[in-house]
Amino acid sequence: MYKIDYVDGDVLRWSLTESGVTCEIDASYTPIIYVSVHGDGDFSTARAAPRDHPAVVQAAIIDERVSFRHDHERMCLSR
């Protein structure tokens, strides 16, 4: 998989194969959102806001890298 699109309520998963590019509807795909807090930020607030959304099935506090060459930092994961 190298790209995800949302079109008319469907999740389209694009993949590169030996014969070219393919696109399939992926009904099992669940996007992940990472939220970090800075300074005096409160993780309970960062976790509660997305957790209460009807489309969110999981909200947790995790340690994750925000990008390459960064140390792990605490953040809220929502999917």
Side-chain angles (χ1 to χ4, degrees), residues 32-38 43 58 60-79:
I32 298 174
I33 298 169
Y34 296 95
V35 177
S36 62
V37 298
H38 301 282
F43 273 104
Q58 177 191 16
I61 304 298
I62 61 166
D63 289 325
E64 188 68 55
R65 292 177 187 228
V66 294
S67 67
F68 181 69
R69 295 187 184 171
H70 283 84
D71 292 332
H72 285 84
E73 69 178 70
R74 189 149 296 256
M75 61 183 62
C76 178
L77 167 141
S78 300
R79 60 171 104 212

